[in-house]
Amino acid sequence: MDRREILTKLVLGGITEGVIPVASSLITEFTHFTELRRNISGLLGLDIRFITHTGSQGDMGLNVLVSKKLSNMLRLEYQQSTLKDPWATFYGASVSIEPLGVSLGTRVYSDNTRGFRLRIRRKFNF
């Protein structure tokens, strides 16, 4: 079956299956998965996030971002993506100086290109 046929079956349903059974089973599995993620995060001291993302070609993908705060200033991160975009999978580090509102980070992407980021955050009272 092609994608449109599969989506039509899921949305409109067939004789015995449709959106409601698929959704209820996904919700049940999601609660178990969320609890597992929370336990692993607490045990290892990691921040684990699952993010859906739309690629530049319109394809949908799932990103898993794992980060570890080593100190008040230093954070390491790794992201694995199901997208074919080489910039969707990376590892990197960032240093932030909270009192100044400045952070500096670097990332190495899956195609071995590098990116640097300088972020300055300020509050303005208008």
Side-chain angles (χ1 to χ4, degrees):
M1 296 173 109
D2 71 339
R3 287 184 182 181
R4 290 183 182 180
E5 288 177 298
I6 293 171
L7 288 174
T8 303
K9 283 281 190 189
L10 286 175
V11 172
L12 300 177
I15 296 171
T16 58
E17 58 190 47
V19 172
I20 304 299
V22 171
S24 64
S25 64
L26 285 176
I27 289 171
T28 302
E29 291 304 316
F30 184 72
T31 56
H32 296 304
F33 187 70
T34 303
E35 188 64 31
L36 177 65
R37 181 186 63 85
R38 189 176 303 132
N39 290 338
I40 291 173
S41 295
L43 182 66
L44 300 175
L46 300 172
D47 181 21
I48 303 171
R49 292 187 215 160
F50 295 91
I51 307 157
T52 56
H53 185 73
T54 305
S56 59
Q57 302 297 322
D59 49 341
M60 289 290 294
L62 178 68
N63 297 345
V64 179
L65 177 65
V66 179
S67 63
K68 171 82 173 168
K69 190 172 185 178
L70 297 178
S71 69
N72 288 337
M73 295 176 60
L74 183 62
R75 176 180 291 274
L76 299 177
E77 60 185 357
Y78 173 76
Q79 179 171 297
Q80 180 68 44
S81 179
T82 60
L83 293 173
K84 294 178 184 174
D85 180 12
W87 284 45
T89 299
F90 61 83
Y91 64 90
S94 62
V95 176
S96 40
I97 305 168
E98 292 298 326
L100 298 176
V102 174
S103 67
L104 179 65
T106 182
R107 289 181 177 170
V108 178
Y109 299 98
S110 64
D111 62 352
N112 287 328
T113 58
R114 288 178 169 73
F116 297 96
R117 179 180 64 218
L118 172 64
R119 183 176 291 167
I120 301 171
R121 294 182 182 166
R122 292 282 182 210
K123 291 184 180 180
F124 297 97
N125 293 328
F126 291 106

